[in-house]
Structures are given as structure tokens and as C-alpha cells.
Amino acid sequence: MESVWMKGCEIRKREPLPGDMEAPVVVIGAGLAGILTAYYLKQEGIRAVVLEADRIGGGHTKNTTAKITSQHNLIYSRLIRTFGSQMAAHYAVANEAAIGEYERLIREKGIDCEFVRCPAYLYSQTGTELLKQEAQAAASLGIGAAFETDCELPFPVAGVTRFARQARFHPLKFLSGIAEEVEVYEQTKVLKVEERKVETDRGAVTAEHVVFAAHYPFINVPGYYFARIYQERSYVIALEGAKRPDGMYLGIDPGGLSFRSCGDLLLLGGGSHRTGVNPMDKTGAGCKYEMLRNRSRELYPGCREGYRWSAQDCMTLDGLPYIGRFSRRRPCWYAATGFGKWGMTSSMVSARILTALISGRECQEADIFSPNRQVTVQAVKELALHSAYTVKGLAKRLLPPGMGRVIPNCPHMGCRLEWNPEEESYDCPCHGSRFNQDGHLIDGPAQIDCKKGEGE
Ligand code: FES
């Protein structure tokens, strides 16, 4: 299922790595985070080589809803409570600056990517208290946020929190433009990373700094990201003939939907669930696309579905991205991952922070994003939940397969995969790797295909 962004957007092909080479920096992954990091390093006079297993933007950048926001659900009141106002302000400043930086780059480079400034709203149909708290918290950190009661959505709401001057764009058109200035090698699969040497199926790159920007870090130790990140899937349908709002909307109630216009289309999103915990049963009940279709028919009678697609997001235990030094044990490695639902803005934040760290500049916003930051109470609670899924997934591999489809085990750490009838894939409930029905790898952290029949 192709997203709306893939239609008619061809990114220029690049050659594979021609053989062994040396470079100051090697970046793994040519999505938005990797390409932007390499771009900013180049602006500092530092050569960065980007390695991509597939094509530029061939991973998760193409499946986003492409909102560039400092509004990240109900985050600011929680950040102030947990980390204090100063650290919360660093998060706010970094994300607000990211929006401005996109605008500056797009204008300066003349990249035609449908960039539009617009407000972003949180809405609730049931209460106003959380919205008011969030508006107050964000405003106290310098964001132009306010509680309001007016709303463009076709159903009544209790209220909204409005964030002014946020943005939306076409992610692949932007990526295509900015990647023109970056040294990228496509069809080059990283097999192993040892200190400063990145081995691929086309040769090895030796570098002073290694940036992991390929969605989910595939190295288990050090870093232990597998214990700190799980993945979620969510769904989008693009509707023709539906009334389009000027702003972008995200519901904070359970089951809340997201709304965002895109040219003549309305993008309706929702239905998040942990990857590998499949909501649809054999009768088709629980199908997330069907849920979105039903809602679209209620809200916009006569509308038609033009596109549908799903996204896979890396979620961290405390809800903040991991951007910075990969591990204290590997000071020359860097991570850009765990962006949650906010991949566009977090990619720019990553690029700015990693460029500062690699070039030896001070970056006061870096602490709140550090993969080595303090562990919060919320993170400890989430860890217990996350571990329970892993234990269950590992225990299941010991069960006999039963009747019907033989389910393979995951090559990452051995959990029993789950068959996902909605997307016809094998999904891992432990850390979110996915495979097609022939066992070919779709999403990591697994690095290789799964062996069909291994679950017997
Ligand atoms: Fe880790 Fe499957 S993704 S065991």
C-alpha cells in the first residue's frame, strides 16, 4: 500500500558503495534524520558518508503524516513535572527551532515541497482540564499556545489547545531536494559495526564517528535499545471529497483520531497499537482501516478513499527521543531514534544536536534528548510492561505450533512472531520487527529474513 507521498515523487538513484573507504563520519540510514545530519555536517566542513540498504527515503519517511510540530500530544505539563522547567524548555526550544529551520532551508534552497505554516490543535470531546494544563505549560515555556473552544472539526468538542505557527509539508519532495547535497550510497546493507569500522555487503567504511539513524538501532550491546524501545503501528486513509481543515488536529481521548489536509485530500489517521499485538481477528473484526472508513463515512458522507497506508513508530519508555551518544561505552557512536509519532521534527532536532556533538560545539538542548539521561518513574513502569511482552514472546516459541499456519520465530532475539492478517505480515511483539509472508525482512531491529517453518 503506497502512501500519498510516493505518487509521482522520484528521488534520484545513487550508486552502491564502490568499495572500502575512509571518512570522518559515516551515517547509517538515508531517511530524513540521516540525510539532514549529513547535510549539516557538510555545512560545518565535515564530510559524512550515508549508507542506505534500500533507497533514499525508502524506510519510514515515506509513511508519515508529515507534520512539523513542537506540539507532541500532552507532553509539556509532564516534562515540567518530571524534568523541571529548564529541561522542558530545552525540549520546547529545540522543536520550535526545528520548525523554523525547515522553513529557512526550504526558502533558501528553493525546495518545492508544499511547506505551509498552520496551527496544530489537540482536541478532546470529553474534558478541558488536560487541554488547559497543556496550553498553560507550553505557553510558560515560550510556545505560542492557548486553550480555545472554536474548532473546524465536524463534531462537537469540549475544547482545543492551539499551537500557533506549526507546519506541514511533502516529506519526500523535501528529502529529494536536500539529499542532492549529500554523499549517499544506496543498496548498501550494513552487516556489522565494530568501533570505527562499518562493514557492508559492498565494502567497509572506517570513520571517526558512526551515526545510527536507521529507525531502530540494530546493535543490542552496548546501548540495550531493545530493552528501551518498542514499536507501534498506526493507520492513515486519504479521503477525497471530505471537508479539509486549515489546522492539524490530534485527539487526546482514547481512540482519538488525527486530521490534516494535503492538497485536495484529508488525511485521517488513528488506530495505534503495539506492533505484533494484532487487533484484527479471523472474522475481520478490529480492522483499523475499516474503523477509519466507518468514521469517515459518518463524518464526511459521500467521501472516497484515495490512499491508505500504515506507519511504524519507535516508542521510548519515557516518551522522549534518544538523540546523542549511543552509549557511554562507545563515545564515537551516536543514536537518532525513538521519535514516537514526531519523526519530522525529531529528525531536524537530531541533525542539529548530532552535528553540534560531532563538531565539538556546545548544545544546551542536548541533555533532555540524551540516550543516557536520567531514568524516570514512568520509564520504570513502562519497562515492566515492555519486558512482559518480551517474556511472553520468548515463552511462546516453546509452545507447539497447533493447527493451521506455522508461525516462525524472530531472528532478532527469538520471540515467536504473530501473523498480522490486516497487513499480511509476520510481526514481532517483542521489539517490532516485521517480515512479509515469504519471511523477507520489512522492519528491524532484526537484520535478516526469518526462516519459515522455524516455529515448528
Ligand atoms: Fe526483537 Fe523480534 S524484534 S525478538
Side-chain angles (χ1 to χ4, degrees):
M1 285 163 277
E2 290 198 340
S3 74
V4 67
W5 316 119
M6 295 164 77
K7 189 188 169 214
C9 183
E10 270 295 310
I11 299 181
R12 184 172 66 82
K13 278 190 181 165
R14 312 300 161 87
E15 294 299 318
L17 187 72
D20 292 355
M21 67 167 65
E22 291 185 12
V25 182
V26 58
V27 178
I28 303 168
L32 206 45
I35 292 290
L36 280 170
T37 302
Y39 170 81
Y40 283 106
L41 285 166
K42 188 176 172 189
Q43 304 310 301
E44 302 267 344
I46 300 170
R47 180 183 170 215
V49 167
V50 182
L51 305 176
E52 169 56 49
D54 184 19
R55 299 281 325 275
I56 295 170
H60 296 280
T61 304
K62 68 183 186 308
N63 293 332
T64 173
T65 49
K67 297 182 243 180
I68 309 171
T69 63
S70 59
Q71 179 216 70
H72 296 167
N73 210 326
L74 298 172
I75 195 169
Y76 292 105
S77 35
R78 180 169 62 79
L79 277 182
I80 292 171
R81 267 197 320 274
T82 311
F83 292 97
S85 292
Q86 194 178 17
M87 291 287 265
H90 288 166
Y91 187 89
V93 166
N95 282 288
E96 284 277 291
I99 307 171
E101 192 56 21
Y102 270 116
E103 185 170 36
R104 185 191 69 78
L105 263 187
I106 289 164
R107 197 183 316 117
E108 268 183 30
K109 305 273 170 205
I111 300 174
D112 180 11
C113 62
E114 299 159 32
F115 180 91
V116 179
R117 285 272 196 177
C118 60
Y121 299 88
L122 297 171
Y123 72 87
S124 170
Q125 294 188 271
T126 58
T128 58
E129 197 48 41
L130 292 174
L131 294 170
K132 285 178 180 169
Q133 268 176 25
E134 185 66 7
Q136 197 177 30
S140 76
L141 301 172
I143 293 175
F147 174 79
E148 294 178 356
T149 50
D150 279 353
C151 178
E152 303 165 279
L153 295 176
F155 48 80
V157 299
V160 297
T161 295
R162 179 182 196 270
F163 279 49
R165 292 187 54 70
Q166 309 288 293
R168 59 180 189 249
F169 72 158
H170 189 305
L172 294 188
K173 286 184 180 175
F174 172 77
L175 190 61
S176 178
I178 207 72
E180 282 302 318
E181 302 194 31
V182 175
E183 184 178 350
V184 189
Y185 298 100
E186 294 182 331
Q187 305 297 336
T188 301
K189 186 173 169 53
V190 173
L191 305 173
K192 203 158 101 181
V193 185
E194 274 180 356
E195 287 279 1
R196 296 168 196 276
K197 188 172 181 187
V198 177
E199 287 183 27
T200 79
D201 56 354
R202 307 280 186 166
V205 181
T206 306
E208 290 161 40
H209 306 274
V210 180
V211 176
F212 291 80
H215 197 60
Y216 196 129
F218 55 86
I219 301 278
N220 289 335
V221 182
Y224 302 93
Y225 287 90
F226 67 87
R228 304 195 275 157
I229 297 177
Y230 63 95
Q231 300 196 66
E232 274 193 7
R233 297 197 65 69
S234 56
Y235 303 83
V236 183
I237 56 175
L239 300 171
E240 297 165 2
K243 187 167 183 289
R244 288 161 289 123
D246 288 331
M248 304 179 289
Y249 287 81
L250 177 67
I252 65 164
D253 303 326
L257 301 177
S258 77
F259 300 77
R260 173 250 209 248
S261 61
C262 168
D264 295 340
L265 301 168
L266 173 74
L267 307 188
L268 180 65
S272 289
H273 64 87
R274 184 180 174 107
T275 302
V277 180
N278 298 312
M280 188 169 108
D281 65 19
K282 284 183 188 138
T283 68
C287 172
K288 297 296 184 183
Y289 287 122
E290 210 43 45
M291 177 275 291
L292 290 174
R293 283 181 199 119
N294 289 338
R295 287 294 284 153
S296 70
R297 284 191 279 264
E298 284 163 32
L299 298 173
Y300 307 103
C303 67
R304 293 168 309 282
E305 180 181 312
Y307 300 82
R308 69 180 159 123
W309 69 93
S310 56
Q312 171 118 329
D313 298 307
C314 285
M315 316 300 287
T316 64
L317 302 179
D318 61 7
L320 300 177
Y322 296 130
I323 301 167
R325 291 197 199 280
F326 193 94
S327 155
R328 292 193 177 95
R329 285 169 52 194
R330 287 282 188 286
C332 63
W333 288 6
Y334 304 83
T337 185
F339 296 166
K341 313 287 181 189
W342 326 112
M344 303 295 96
T345 331
S346 300
S347 291
M348 180 62 86
V349 170
S350 299
R352 305 299 285 157
I353 288 177
L354 297 186
T355 300
L357 292 177
I358 290 170
S359 54
R361 273 192 288 105
E362 184 78 7
C363 179
Q364 63 169 5
E365 284 88 41
D367 281 3
I368 187 75
F369 297 95
S370 169
N372 306 303
R373 62 179 170 263
Q374 77 178 68
V375 178
T376 65
V377 174
Q378 181 201 350
V380 173
K381 284 185 193 158
E382 287 289 323
L383 178 63
L385 197 63
H386 180 50
S387 304
Y389 277 105
T390 307
V391 168
K392 198 168 151 196
L394 285 167
K396 266 192 170 180
R397 65 179 296 180
L398 303 174
L399 296 174
M403 299 294 285
R405 184 180 288 274
V406 174
I407 303 289
N409 294 327
C410 178
H412 177 230
M413 293 178 77
C415 290
R416 176 68 59 89
L417 299 172
E418 298 282 338
W419 174 244
N420 176 350
E422 189 159 8
E423 302 192 84
E424 302 195 324
S425 58
Y426 292 104
D427 299 352
C428 183
C430 291
H431 315 109
S433 292
R434 298 180 65 238
F435 307 84
N436 72 11
Q437 32 186 333
D438 298 321
H440 295 308
L441 180 68
I442 304 171
D443 286 312
Q447 283 289 85
I448 55 173
D449 298 342
C450 68
K451 288 193 195 126
K452 293 290 297 295
E454 202 192 303
E456 290 170 277

